[in-house]
Amino acid sequence: MNTAYRKDVRRTVAGHKKRFFSLLIITTLGVAMFTGLQASCRDLRLSADALFDGQKLFDIRVQSTLGLTGEDVAALAALDGVEQAEGGVSINADTPAQGGTGKVEVRTLSGTGLNEPYLLEGSLPAEPGQIAVTQKYLDDTGKTLGDTLTLIPEEDEEEEEEEEEEPAAETDEDWDIQVEDTGASEPALTRTEFTITGVVLDPMDVNSGGTASAFRVSSNTDYTFFVLA
């Protein structure tokens, strides 16, 4: 019985070689494609998680157009499950770019490393007057490390109060929270001229400007800069 079955298989293959090898190649390609997709998706997920952990990306972001105080930050830090809460400031400005002006969000660097930008080249700002920019800004303006850029503060406008909460995937780990003041109490820029010292990747927007789509937030600004607090 076994011998007859094997002979029948050999005759079938010998009589339909083209069909057999076509099906063999299609099946091989399908298995290879499925295996590659499974492996690449897992690698991308692990790589993104490693980046977020390495840069201490926050789990929840709270913003206020009315202003936040140290008491607000302390109240958030006292909540159950919160490992770290830290205040920050972001300022909107304009900068000359591509023959016109580009919208910029200027963020202060954390003193504890929370939500720290990933350094691609150069160094993070170490003193006032230094600034870190994204590669998109350099590509659009042709500037390099050591060049000077100008920021033009935006006029004060009424903005709707916004509060964002973006928890990470459900885990048993404690939360990191960043609290940002983007409202009327926001300090004005104390200087307008900065020296570019570093090129960074914003961990909140790893797809910004063609380098990648935002995993965490979608921004309506063209560039993101980082300065000392």
Side-chain angles (χ1 to χ4, degrees):
M1 192 72 169
N2 231 356
T3 304
Y5 175 73
R6 291 177 181 175
K7 287 183 179 179
D8 185 59
V9 170
R10 284 197 295 270
R11 288 198 195 99
T12 302
V13 172
H16 304 86
K17 289 183 180 179
K18 291 184 179 179
R19 182 181 299 176
F20 173 78
F21 285 108
S22 296
L23 291 174
L24 179 64
I25 293 173
I26 292 172
T27 303
T28 302
L29 290 175
V31 172
M33 178 68 71
F34 178 77
T35 303
L37 287 174
Q38 286 284 89
S40 60
C41 288
R42 186 181 299 108
D43 289 343
L44 287 172
R45 205 162 45 241
L46 293 174
S47 297
D49 186 64
L51 173 66
F52 294 154
D53 288 343
Q55 307 313 120
K56 297 182 67 175
L57 186 62
F58 57 79
D59 299 308
I60 298 177
R61 184 186 190 188
V62 179
Q63 291 180 292
S64 172
T65 58
L66 299 179
L68 292 165
T69 65
E71 294 179 355
D72 297 324
V73 178
L76 288 170
L79 295 175
D80 291 338
V82 175
E83 180 181 358
Q84 180 181 356
E86 181 176 283
V89 175
S90 63
I91 302 171
N92 291 328
D94 294 327
T95 188
Q98 294 182 316
T101 57
K103 292 187 177 297
V104 179
E105 181 183 2
V106 184
R107 296 191 201 140
T108 56
L109 292 171
S110 167
T112 62
L114 185 65
N115 194 38
E116 183 173 326
Y118 182 80
L119 186 64
L120 299 175
E121 186 179 357
S123 61
L124 293 175
E127 59 186 49
Q130 297 182 345
I131 196 168
V133 303
T134 57
Q135 185 63 47
K136 181 176 185 293
Y137 173 76
L138 299 184
D139 293 340
D140 289 347
T141 61
K143 291 182 179 293
T144 59
L145 294 179
D147 287 347
T148 301
L149 64 82
T150 302
L151 293 179
I152 307 168
E154 287 187 346
E155 295 181 0
D156 292 336
E157 297 178 359
E158 292 185 1
E159 297 179 359
E160 294 182 359
E161 182 177 0
E162 177 183 357
E163 182 176 296
E164 282 190 332
E165 295 190 358
E166 299 185 5
E170 294 183 2
T171 65
D172 293 332
E173 298 178 357
D174 291 337
W175 291 349
D176 295 326
I177 296 181
Q178 184 180 57
V179 182
E180 290 201 2
D181 176 4
T182 61
S185 61
E186 172 185 298
L189 287 171
T190 57
R191 64 177 70 231
T192 57
E193 299 288 332
F194 292 85
T195 301
I196 302 173
T197 61
V199 184
V200 297
L201 176 68
D202 180 8
M204 287 175 55
D205 192 9
V206 296
N207 280 341
S208 177
T211 58
S213 261
F215 285 161
R216 288 298 182 116
V217 296
S218 55
S219 175
N220 57 1
T221 57
D222 299 310
Y223 314 110
T224 303
F225 297 162
F226 295 89
V227 297
L228 286 181

